[in-house]
Amino acid sequence: MLEVRDLSVSYGKKEILTNVSFTLEKGTVTALLGANGCGKTTLIKALCGLLPCEGSRRLDGCDLRELSTKETAQQIGYIPQRSGISLSLTALDVVLMGFSPRLGLLQQPTGAMEAQARQTLAQLGLGADTAYLTLSEGQKQLCILARTLVMDAKVLLLDEPESALDLQNRYGLFEHLRGRLQDRAVLAVLHDPQLALQTADKLILLKDGTVHAVLHPKTDSPETMEQAFCGIYGRVRLHKIEDTIVMVR
Amino acid sequence: MKLKSSIYITAMALAVMAVVSLFVGKYPLTLPGLLAGHEMQLKVFFRLRLSRTVLGVLGGVCLGVAGFVYQTVFRNPLASPDIIGVASGASAGAAAGILFLSGAAAVTAASFAGALLAVILALSLAALDKTGKSGTIVLSGIAVHALAQTLLMGLKLTADPEKELASIEYWIMGSLNGVAVERIFPNALLCLVCLAVLFLLHRQIVLLSVGEEEAQMLGVSVTALRLAVLLTATLMVAAVVSLTGLISFVGLLAPHGARLLTKRDHRGTMALSGLLGGVLLCFADILARSVAATELPVSIFTSLIGAPFLVWLIVRRETRA
């Protein structure tokens, strides 16, 4: 679905990403893992077209560079590490922003859109009329997730979408995503390898701006994955307990 | 307070201010006199008071809405229409008009041209930064403000201290006095068009407030839209200050007042900000022509009301933090 080939990004003379290549398949969740500063956020931003980059990004065969800002937003839903919302808006106002790529410059969200936004918020356990700024950081993340879900984009690029969520909501977030995958692909930056192992179909391990390994938790052996993780996190062990792989350090 | 009730109450307050403004001044006007067709009273009413009241209401509304737009787009509660140098440009233009042209209409035109030039210069300088960050616009505005102030000082140095210098200083202090209806009309038309555009673009203005990258990923062409919104808001401010001279604090205070009342950033809050701006400017203008034997500059009163409010706002924020 999303095909990335030889993607390189530099900040001035400093190269952050070097020839990164991978694909995201339809109906799958891919986790992007790596140590701090290895280029995960840079990769997400480059995929969104927020940073100038070399190499190709093709979505269903279409070169993403040829899309306008609006067309890109229709295809790619993005959750930043932290939203910049500083106005006194309700959760509903925030989620309605998600329909923006489908609206004309002077158009307003329709009643059906509002109903969908309210329903999505309710599914995530949030009140539509709650003031966004009074929500906890975790609830804010869920609200931004609701905004991204209503965008109905083909690819969701999520930069640490669960960093402020409790254990239940962390796993709940991926259940919500799975329930809405259908024709979509999800790439999520995660810091918790255990969460990635349990929720993602594929893991991309980034190290020093290059792809260190691509893992498939359902098919790869624990030994293969352990070796790859050791290259990122130092000495770690993977144990298989029933059907679940558990990482210990 | 609920948004609708706030808007109704403020609209009523503005209507009351407008009526009071029509009847306050050196020459006493009475309703029976006007209805009886008293010639002098009608002359004063149509040539002086009506234009002044229209200017107070429209100017205040425009400054209030523009302040709301600037604070939202720049994500800065202290942003005001002068952030990209519009007031300094208008002052320098007015000073040049007073020195080199004749007639009030020419000064208005020169002031408008000065404001427009300053804004175009600030936005052009900002466009040199290809990243399109809003901070660059602020920095360009500061540079243009400094440049316009230098020009203004140069013009003041060449001005006759007895005549022209006093006129320049009085213009800078702001006044709604002596603006004829025919001078208001083209500017009022421009203001109304700009107001309509800004209200139509309200949803986009809110999207600009979430930050550049996030807004772009919500489908907003950030640089183009921000340019269009700022240019519209600034044109509106230029149309007002070219007639009134500089009006302090209205654009800064009205949006804060509206947010305090509604606790929400909504299209209605933008309207409320405009209404509060109108109330503030009309009230300051009524004081300007009624507290002393001679008329005082209106900015004295907007500042007298505005400065303590600003301090209270900061203290309140610190206490909450």
Side-chain angles (χ1 to χ4, degrees):
Chain A
M1 187 175 203
L2 180 70
E3 194 179 342
V4 180
R5 285 280 165 268
D6 299 323
L7 191 91
S8 298
V9 179
S10 303
Y11 289 138
K13 286 181 181 173
K14 192 181 178 190
E15 197 160 56
I16 306 297
L17 295 175
T18 312
N19 295 329
V20 172
S21 300
F22 61 89
T23 53
L24 298 183
E25 288 80 24
K26 202 177 278 186
T28 62
V29 174
T30 304
L32 184 61
L33 294 142
N36 289 333
C38 72
K40 300 183 293 297
T41 297
T42 302
L43 176 57
I44 294 283
K45 286 187 178 181
L47 292 176
C48 289
L50 296 171
L51 290 174
C53 61
E54 289 172 20
S56 78
R57 301 172 288 135
R58 303 185 81 84
L59 180 60
D60 288 335
C62 170
D63 190 343
L64 285 174
R65 277 177 301 190
E66 288 171 8
L67 300 183
S68 67
T69 303
K70 195 158 206 157
E71 287 166 339
T72 304
Q74 285 166 354
Q75 303 291 341
I76 297 177
Y78 165 62
I79 295 190
Q81 277 185 12
R82 190 175 283 264
S83 171
I85 294 169
S86 55
L87 297 182
S88 302
L89 302 170
T90 62
L92 180 66
D93 292 333
V94 172
V95 178
L96 286 174
M97 286 179 180
F99 293 103
S100 185
R102 286 192 262 155
L103 293 171
L105 189 69
L106 304 179
Q107 270 185 308
Q108 296 298 320
T110 61
M113 287 174 178
E114 189 177 321
Q116 190 188 339
R118 284 181 183 277
Q119 190 187 7
T120 309
L121 279 167
Q123 284 168 352
L124 291 167
L126 297 172
D129 298 320
T130 316
Y132 174 82
L133 294 178
T134 64
L135 296 173
S136 71
E137 287 304 313
Q139 288 172 319
K140 282 179 185 170
Q141 280 190 327
L142 289 174
C143 189
I144 298 298
L145 173 71
R147 185 181 76 181
T148 312
L149 289 175
V150 301
M151 286 176 81
D152 205 22
K154 282 184 182 172
V155 176
L156 302 184
L157 301 177
L158 320 177
D159 195 355
E160 299 180 25
E162 38 54 81
S163 57
L165 296 180
D166 58 43
L167 190 69
Q168 191 182 358
N169 272 318
R170 277 184 183 200
Y171 285 85
L173 179 142
F174 283 93
E175 278 169 28
H176 277 292
L177 288 172
R178 285 236 172 256
R180 289 165 173 262
L181 266 182
Q182 296 150 351
D183 294 336
R184 293 176 188 165
V186 174
L187 176 65
V189 172
L190 298 177
H191 273 299
D192 181 355
Q194 188 62 55
L195 179 68
L197 281 165
Q198 283 184 251
T199 56
D201 302 294
K202 185 162 81 175
L203 275 58
I204 298 173
L205 271 56
L206 216 56
K207 186 179 181 184
D208 300 330
T210 57
V211 175
H212 173 68
V214 177
L215 305 174
H216 300 84
K218 285 171 190 158
T219 52
D220 289 348
S221 68
E223 292 75 25
T224 310
M225 291 196 285
E226 185 178 290
Q227 199 178 3
F229 277 120
C230 284
I232 301 285
Y233 300 115
R235 281 193 63 189
V236 292
R237 300 294 302 270
L238 294 189
H239 299 287
K240 196 161 188 177
I241 303 172
E242 293 177 353
D243 284 338
T244 307
I245 295 171
V246 179
M247 177 186 276
V248 287
R249 187 182 155 90
Chain B
M1 201 186 293
K2 286 206 170 156
L3 183 64
K4 274 188 182 172
S5 350
S6 303
I7 289 177
Y8 289 142
I9 293 168
T10 316
M12 277 166 59
L14 182 58
V16 171
M17 285 291 167
V19 172
V20 173
S21 169
L22 286 171
F23 289 92
V24 170
K26 268 188 182 173
Y27 191 88
L29 293 183
T30 59
L31 196 59
L34 288 170
L35 292 173
H38 190 285
E39 195 185 340
M40 194 58 189
Q41 285 204 24
L42 285 174
K43 209 171 177 180
V44 169
F45 182 82
F46 284 111
R47 297 203 62 178
L48 297 174
R49 299 285 170 77
L50 190 60
S51 56
R52 189 169 189 153
T53 303
V54 169
L55 191 55
V57 172
L58 190 66
V61 168
C62 290
L63 292 174
V65 169
F68 183 92
V69 170
Y70 277 83
Q71 289 176 13
T72 307
V73 171
F74 287 110
R75 307 166 71 199
N76 183 344
L78 293 179
S80 69
D82 197 30
I83 204 165
I84 50 177
V86 59
S88 332
S91 304
I98 290 166
L99 284 177
F100 306 117
L101 303 169
S102 61
V107 174
T108 298
S111 158
F112 185 75
L116 207 59
L117 268 176
V119 171
I120 289 170
L121 186 60
L123 295 178
S124 306
L125 283 173
L128 295 175
D129 177 11
K130 299 293 177 205
T131 59
K133 303 276 181 200
S134 64
T136 317
I137 300 178
V138 177
L139 282 175
S140 307
I142 292 170
V144 170
H145 169 77
L147 204 67
Q149 285 297 320
T150 309
L151 183 65
L152 182 63
M153 279 191 277
L155 290 168
K156 279 181 178 177
L157 276 175
T158 61
D160 176 356
E162 298 293 323
K163 293 179 182 173
E164 293 153 342
L165 187 58
S167 298
I168 294 171
E169 291 295 352
Y170 195 77
W171 188 93
I172 288 171
M173 286 190 276
S175 172
L176 307 188
N177 187 24
V179 185
V181 180
E182 54 271 22
R183 273 175 60 209
I184 293 179
F185 187 72
N187 292 38
L189 200 64
L190 178 63
C191 285
L192 291 175
V193 171
C194 291
L195 277 174
V197 170
L198 290 173
F199 275 97
L200 285 171
L201 288 176
H202 175 267
R203 187 176 64 80
Q204 306 285 340
I205 292 168
V206 170
L207 286 173
L208 282 176
S209 76
V210 303
E212 278 133 27
E213 290 180 348
E214 208 174 330
Q216 187 178 326
M217 289 316 293
L218 289 167
V220 178
S221 299
V222 175
T223 309
L225 182 70
R226 191 169 51 206
L227 185 72
V229 167
L230 289 180
L231 208 56
T232 309
T234 310
L235 266 178
M236 191 167 75
V237 174
V240 173
V241 297
S242 62
L243 289 170
T244 61
L246 299 192
I247 307 286
S248 319
F249 278 109
V250 176
L252 184 68
L253 287 189
H256 285 291
R259 289 194 189 101
L260 268 177
L261 286 173
T262 63
K263 311 259 186 288
R264 194 176 166 191
D265 283 276
H266 190 266
R267 194 195 300 267
T269 317
M270 187 157 104
L272 184 62
S273 175
L275 291 171
L276 279 173
V279 171
L280 188 60
L281 187 54
C282 280
F283 182 55
D285 184 46
I286 290 167
L287 291 177
R289 56 185 137 134
S290 55
V291 296
T294 54
E295 183 164 330
L296 298 171
V298 72
S299 272
I300 289 180
F301 295 97
T302 52
S303 301
L304 269 178
I305 303 164
F309 182 77
L310 189 66
V311 172
W312 175 74
L313 212 65
I314 293 165
V315 171
R316 181 175 169 268
R317 187 161 293 181
E318 292 291 320
T319 314
R320 280 189 169 186

